[in-house]
Each structure stands twice: as C-alpha cells, then as structure tokens.
Amino acid sequence: MARSALTGTRIRERRTSLGLKQADLARAAGISAAYLNLIEHNRRRVSDALIERIASAMGIDPVTLGEGAEGALFAGLREAAASVELAEAGEAGSAATVSQLAPDLDRIEEFVGRFPAWAALLVNRQARLAELERVVETYAERMAQDPFLLTSLHEVLSAVTSLRSTAAILVETEDIEPEWRARFLNTIQEESLRLSGTAEALVGYLDEMETAETGLSSPQEQVEAWLEARGWHFPELEGDGTDPAELIAGAPELASAAARELARNHLRRQAEDARALPLDPLLAALAELGPDPGGLAARFAVPLAQVLRRLAALPAGAPGLGQPGLVICDGSGTLTFRRAAPGFLLPRFAAACPLWPLYEALARPMQPIRALVDMAGRLPQRFLTYAVSEPRPTGFDGPVLMRATMLILPAPPQSSDAPARPIGASCRICPRDDCPGRREPSIVADASAERA
C-alpha cells in the first residue's frame, strides 16, 4: 500500500474524529503510546502490517490511511491551484492571489489528511468546471465551423430583418392601400412561420448535440459514438468466425447506411489487427516491454501503424496504456478516425493543429516519429505520441494515397522536465498567440484580450 510522509497526520485526525485516546489506540494496535505519538507526528515511518492493525483498531479501511485512497485528491487540488493561477494571470490582483496560494501547495497532503470531505468537494468542483469548459469549447468550435448552424443562424437573421422592415413600413406609413397592407401582413405571416421553423430545427439540433450522436450527426460521429459505447474494444473479434454484420445489427448509434458501412470497414480492419497481434501474446509483450510500439512491431513482425491501431483497441486496463487516444488522417489532412485521450482535445469540424506529429509524419513517409507534446488549454497537459504514415498504392497507374496514424499516450512521469512541443486542438480554440502554425485568430484569445 502506498504511503506518504504524512500518514501519521491522517492517523491522528482519524483517531481524534473517532474520539479515541492515544493510549487506547496504541494498546489495541500492540504498540506503545510513545511510539504511536512519534508516528502521528510523522517522525517514524509505519509498515503496511502496522497500518492494517491501526486501521483495524479504529474500524476503518486500511487504504484510507495510505496515499492510495487520496492520491487523486492531491492531483485534483494541484490541478485546481494551477487552473486558478492560469485564470488569474494578467488580471488585476492576480499576483496577490497566486502568491497567497504558493506557500500552501506543499501542505496539500496535510489538508487532505485533516479535511478529506472538503478536499473531495473542491476536487469535484474542479472536475465539473473543467467539464463545462470543454463543453463551451466544443460549442464555440461548432458555432464557428458547423455549416448547419451557420445556415440556420443566417436564416434566423434574414427572417428577423424581413419582419422588422415589414413592420416598420406598416407602422410608419399612415395612408397605405388595403392591397399593399394585405401583402405586408401576408409577408409577416410567412416570415414568422419561417423563423419559427428555423428556430425549432436549430433547438432540436442543439439538443441532439447533448444526446447520442445519431440523427443529424455525421456518419463518422455515429461510428465514434458507437465505438465509445463499446469501450473501443470488441472481444468477439479476438476469435475467428465473427461476422462484423452481427455486431452492427441493431446498434442504435448507427442511424445511417453510411455509418454502418464505415463501421463494417472499421471492424474488418480491427479483426485483421487482432489476427496479426493476438491478445494474450500482446498483453504478455506489453508487460515485458512496456508501451513501446517499435519494440512490439519488431517482435510480432508487423507494420508500426498496425501496432498503433491495435494498442488503441485493447481492453481497458492494458498495462502501461492508461486511456490511449488514436487519430488517423488521409493525405489531405482530414481526420478519418478519432479516439480522444483524456485532456487531448480533438476538433470535430475545424482543421486540426498543423503542429501535430501526425502531420509531420505525412511529410516523412514510413519514418516513425516519437514526440512529447503539450496540449494547450486552461491547464496544459503533456502526452507522448507515436506517429507514422504509410503509402497505399492503388495500382500501377493509380495515385499513391497516404494515411498517417498517431497514438496518444499519457506522458511518463520521468518526462516532466523534458522539452515538449507546444500544440493545440485547432486554431479557433487555441490560446497560443505566438504559434508559428496559426491560420486564423483564436476566439479564445479574443475573449482573453477583451477581459484584459
């Protein structure tokens, strides 16, 4: 069981909250009161066996006395502190706020040990805030890029302008002939119906964005929603004889024929990957080599792109992978497959960041690329990426099509001080002002400038 230097603080706080005397707890745990006093003041390290005896004497789970139960709280509080610093940067009074927080960052473990419920509440609020920020970014991107929204908003503005002009004529013109008055009233009725229908369709479309990706969503979004609901892994494909059509039949997410065709193609490719990289030998190799795509490709004698796809399709809990992400693009740079890793933002409509290693791989066919990247955001996050592109000949006289694949993994802890490439999701929602690959101004940067 993991322990921190403040395990004794947690023991003391739990004992005090339970109303136990130090001597009584020491007697029940089989140690002296003096030794327990040293433990509670973090002057003696405590073994796993002793933690279990102390926890048993207090009638609580031993895990609650170790860092294992509170490690997530530590990380969440540090994230909250970092987000406050980023939000306050550049605003009046920010220096005082940040300077007040800085001395207490080293006391996070003590805070969690003494007030676990308050710590959990703060971490939950921070997680909710981050979730809402992602929703806002998604809506901002969609408002800027979605052709349906742009057309609908244009229709609304057009109808409102027509209604306003017609109404103004009726109000400002005193002597208007009955024939023209009837025409203007008919125009108002028609424009009102158009505005009502457009608004109803727009509201329905926005509601659809928060439910299952069906109906008005694209075929690619339907497939990705279906894969996410299945955990991106299909145990049925690990054996032989399963027809992809059986897995697709009855899937509510696949609402269109185009989505079902895309799903069939994806399952066929995933089945080929499973045959080339069988699950049990692959998991054994992962445990031995770690998440090393190059080493795995050499051991199984398969293309690197196939290893990247296979690693992103393994069942949850595969050693060293965490929650991987995967993106695939064609020669035009269009993302043809998207599996988001937590914290790695993927655009749904806009073009992706040109600084991604995925696009560098397109310019260097068959040359593997490994890169540490820092994804821009309210709280930048670091990832380790593996990318490679491969040509797909279409015959002797046909063009050569390119396809690039990029696996996204959490950055290893030892890479925290290593240099990393700054990237974003797309220009429209990227806050990096001095980016050499910027194509258009960022709506995030504009909002920050207005607040300043």
Side-chain angles (χ1 to χ4, degrees):
M1 175 172 36
R3 298 186 303 279
S4 74
L6 294 178
T7 299
T9 300
R10 285 188 282 275
I11 293 175
R12 183 174 70 252
E13 294 301 326
R14 299 297 192 280
R15 176 182 62 79
T16 303
S17 64
L18 293 173
L20 290 175
K21 294 181 179 180
Q22 196 175 68
D24 294 337
L25 178 58
R27 187 181 308 108
I31 58 177
S32 67
Y35 189 66
L36 179 59
N37 183 64
L38 292 174
I39 290 175
E40 290 187 349
H41 286 84
N42 302 302
R43 297 178 183 176
R44 292 290 186 275
R45 295 190 62 82
V46 54
S47 66
D48 291 341
L50 183 52
I51 283 183
E52 292 181 0
R53 295 207 306 270
I54 293 175
S56 177
M58 289 192 290
I60 60 176
D61 190 336
V63 177
T64 62
L65 298 179
E67 184 180 345
E70 297 166 343
L73 294 182
F74 300 154
L77 289 174
R78 292 189 182 98
E79 179 180 344
S83 66
V84 168
E85 181 175 351
L86 289 171
E88 297 290 344
E91 298 183 6
S94 62
T97 303
V98 175
S99 62
Q100 290 172 3
L101 282 175
D104 290 333
L105 291 179
D106 294 334
R107 303 180 63 188
I108 286 179
E109 291 189 4
E110 182 180 354
F111 175 70
V112 173
R114 299 186 63 182
F115 309 106
W118 282 105
L121 177 63
L122 290 174
V123 170
N124 289 338
R125 292 299 89 195
Q126 170 63 24
R128 178 58 176 162
L129 176 62
E131 179 184 353
L132 292 176
E133 287 175 346
R134 287 193 294 271
V135 171
V136 171
E137 289 174 350
T138 300
Y139 273 93
E141 179 195 0
R142 194 153 197 165
M143 291 291 290
Q145 303 293 335
D146 191 335
F148 180 85
L149 286 179
L150 293 177
T151 303
S152 298
L153 291 176
H154 177 76
E155 286 289 325
V156 169
L157 291 176
S158 175
V160 170
T161 301
S162 178
L163 284 171
R164 181 178 179 180
S165 300
T166 305
I169 293 175
L170 289 174
V171 171
E172 296 172 1
T173 305
E174 297 181 358
D175 300 328
I176 188 171
E177 298 181 3
E179 179 182 356
W180 283 102
R181 181 181 297 274
R183 290 184 179 181
F184 286 134
L185 291 176
N186 184 60
T187 299
I188 290 177
Q189 181 184 16
E190 291 177 352
E191 293 300 325
S192 298
L193 292 175
R194 180 161 72 102
L195 177 61
S196 175
T198 302
E200 183 178 354
L202 182 59
V203 170
Y205 188 52
L206 293 174
D207 287 342
E208 192 70 25
M209 291 167 62
E210 298 187 6
T211 58
E213 298 294 332
T214 57
L216 294 173
S217 60
S218 69
Q220 182 181 353
E221 289 178 306
Q222 295 174 31
V223 173
E224 291 167 358
W226 174 60
L227 293 174
E228 184 175 5
R230 291 293 305 264
W232 305 92
H233 175 70
F234 293 84
E236 301 89 343
L237 299 179
E238 301 298 339
D240 295 326
T242 301
D243 185 358
E246 299 177 4
L247 301 175
I248 295 172
E253 296 88 354
L254 305 177
S256 65
R260 290 190 289 273
E261 180 62 25
L262 289 176
R264 273 191 293 270
N265 294 335
H266 175 81
L267 291 182
R268 292 191 188 103
R269 187 167 61 182
Q270 190 166 328
E272 293 174 0
D273 296 342
R275 287 191 293 270
L277 295 157
L279 182 59
D280 291 338
L282 179 57
L283 292 178
L286 263 178
E288 177 185 348
L289 302 176
D292 178 10
L296 295 171
R299 172 165 295 191
F300 290 92
V302 297
L304 181 59
Q306 192 169 41
V307 174
L308 302 184
R309 295 195 304 265
R310 180 63 166 148
L311 291 180
L314 290 179
L321 295 181
Q323 298 183 49
L326 184 74
V327 286
I328 300 175
C329 76
D330 58 19
S332 71
T334 301
L335 299 183
T336 59
F337 181 85
R338 299 169 298 191
R339 177 185 176 179
F344 196 102
L345 302 178
L346 299 180
R348 300 179 63 185
F349 300 97
C353 174
L355 301 181
W356 284 8
L358 176 77
Y359 298 124
E360 182 181 353
L362 280 177
R364 300 160 60 182
M366 303 303 295
Q367 181 174 346
I369 297 174
R370 178 176 59 188
L372 277 172
V373 297
D374 282 337
M375 171 60 71
R378 184 179 180 88
L379 186 63
Q381 298 192 48
R382 178 162 293 195
F383 299 89
L384 179 61
T385 62
Y386 296 88
V388 68
S389 66
E390 53 188 4
R392 293 189 297 148
T394 57
F396 286 104
D397 300 322
V400 176
L401 302 178
M402 299 300 298
R403 179 169 61 195
T405 306
M406 182 172 73
L407 179 69
I408 306 163
L409 300 177
Q414 62 269 23
S415 66
S416 58
D417 296 328
R421 178 187 307 183
I423 63 172
S426 66
C427 288
R428 290 295 289 167
I429 58 173
C430 179
R432 301 187 190 276
D433 294 329
D434 56 347
C435 175
R438 178 167 294 284
R439 297 181 296 267
E440 57 182 334
S442 169
I443 59 177
V444 177
D446 292 343
S448 300
E450 291 176 2
R451 287 197 303 270

